[in-house]
Amino acid sequence: MVRFKLLGSLEISNSGRTCAITPPKVRQVLALLLVRTGKLVQVDSVIEELWAEASPRRAANTVQTYVYQLRKIIDQEGLAPAGRELLFTQPFGYQLQIEPEQLDICVFEAEVAEGRRMLDAGQPERASQRLRQALDLWTGPPLADVVQGNLLSTHALHLRELRMRALELRIQTDVHLGRDRDLIGELRSLVARYPLHEWFHGQLIGALARAGRRAEALAAYAELRALLDRELGLDPSPELQRIHQEMLAPAPGASSGLWTEDFALPDFGRSPALANGSRRGR
């Protein structure tokens, strides 16, 4: 089966063989058709993507040339099934018709939806596996080697957001499975990569606390509080402040005031992503 990949560099594989499309504008047109597969892409949209407000005088004719080159590549590489077409000319535009399982974006979205369904059905182990499969489809930033105009930039931003939500859901699922110790290293990396993503900080603090590493959890909270104060002039969310107070409280039934591993943290990791509640501003 011919497969198209956009979750990383643009790639086309046909029976294990990679098909090269080198002209940048042709790659850009193909990417736009792929992210809107099955839908009409108007010529005006292609012109906006390729040139924005600086389009050449005969832009529509130039678009036709790029589409002709794309059709030629489709034929030369045998990308269309026998007796079928992939790229159709419609009134006012073009339409690419491929099966959902041929495009990694469609596969990713279907896998995430299935993972969410499994989690809602009380199957967190299967949900975690399915979400990992979805995230494994990513090999880099979306459309990494494609020139991005206004439209593709918007699509790429949307895809990055979808990946972030899938990652959050997978982490939340692993917390349900009690994998706090396994998550700590990954969460530290995520906090370093996304320093202002408060939800990741909260998950790290919760995982450390549930793993019996209260001192590290308190240090992580202090680092977050200093970061938000320095960068944004804000306090941590009310939810995180509440958890901080829980960590400062003596463990139930303990005389030393130190936490033990079986201290029950509030169900922080099992709740939806932190809402941006009231904040102290400067």
Side-chain angles (χ1 to χ4, degrees):
M1 179 184 291
V2 177
R3 298 188 183 278
F4 300 86
K5 178 175 177 55
L6 293 176
L7 302 179
S9 299
L10 189 157
E11 295 179 6
I12 306 172
S13 62
N14 187 2
S15 301
R17 179 174 58 86
T18 300
C19 306
I21 298 181
T22 54
K25 292 294 188 184
V26 177
R27 292 171 65 83
Q28 198 173 355
V29 171
L30 174 59
L32 184 61
L33 291 168
L34 282 170
V35 298
R36 294 187 177 180
T37 183
K39 299 178 181 178
L40 174 67
V41 179
Q42 295 188 356
V43 173
D44 288 347
S45 296
V46 181
I47 292 173
E48 178 185 353
E49 168 60 29
L50 295 178
W51 298 289
E53 298 178 357
S55 60
R57 186 176 56 179
R58 297 173 62 85
N61 290 343
T62 306
V63 168
Q64 289 179 351
T65 300
Y66 294 145
V67 171
Y68 169 78
Q69 294 175 5
L70 184 55
R71 289 187 195 278
K72 190 174 180 180
I73 293 170
I74 290 172
D75 292 338
Q76 290 175 344
E77 299 289 346
L79 303 182
R84 286 187 51 193
E85 292 187 34
L86 291 185
L87 182 53
F88 297 87
T89 299
Q90 305 284 15
F92 310 111
Y94 305 95
Q95 186 175 7
L96 190 70
Q97 288 279 11
I98 61 174
E99 299 298 325
E101 59 268 24
Q102 292 182 263
L103 181 61
D104 61 351
I105 293 175
C106 296
V107 176
F108 169 75
E109 291 177 337
E111 293 276 11
V112 172
E114 183 65 11
R116 188 181 297 275
R117 186 196 66 78
M118 289 174 175
L119 184 59
D120 292 341
Q123 301 172 323
E125 182 67 48
R126 294 182 63 196
S128 178
Q129 293 175 359
R130 187 58 60 93
L131 291 166
R132 288 177 186 276
Q133 290 175 10
L135 291 165
D136 284 345
L137 293 170
W138 289 73
T139 59
L143 307 163
D145 60 349
V146 178
V147 177
Q148 297 175 24
N150 295 336
L151 302 182
L152 284 181
S153 295
T154 300
H155 279 287
L157 181 62
H158 175 65
L159 289 170
R160 287 195 292 270
E161 184 63 27
L162 289 180
R163 182 186 181 278
M164 187 69 73
R165 296 300 302 130
L167 179 59
E168 291 172 356
L169 185 61
R170 200 227 78 217
I171 290 171
Q172 187 178 344
T173 302
D174 285 347
V175 170
H176 271 290
L177 293 167
R179 296 173 176 167
D180 297 303
R181 287 180 173 83
D182 296 333
L183 285 170
I184 289 172
E186 179 184 9
L187 287 168
R188 287 196 189 279
S189 296
L190 289 169
V191 163
R193 185 175 181 183
Y194 305 103
L196 295 180
H197 195 301
E198 194 171 353
W199 191 83
F200 286 148
H201 284 273
Q203 295 302 309
L204 174 60
I205 293 166
L208 286 167
R210 288 189 297 274
R213 296 160 65 171
R214 181 173 66 158
E216 292 177 69
L218 289 170
Y221 177 86
E223 290 173 5
L224 171 62
R225 183 175 182 178
L227 174 69
L228 292 177
D229 183 48
R230 180 176 65 252
E231 298 294 332
L232 303 175
L234 300 176
D235 282 330
S237 68
E239 176 72 7
L240 270 176
Q241 292 183 48
R242 181 182 64 80
I243 292 171
H244 179 240
Q245 292 302 315
E246 292 282 352
M247 289 191 293
L248 292 173
S255 58
S256 65
L258 297 177
W259 265 9
T260 59
E261 287 193 25
D262 57 355
F263 185 87
L265 237 194
D267 203 19
F268 177 76
R270 298 163 178 81
S271 62
L274 288 173
N276 289 325
S278 60
R279 292 287 199 272
R280 170 182 56 84
R282 277 185 170 76

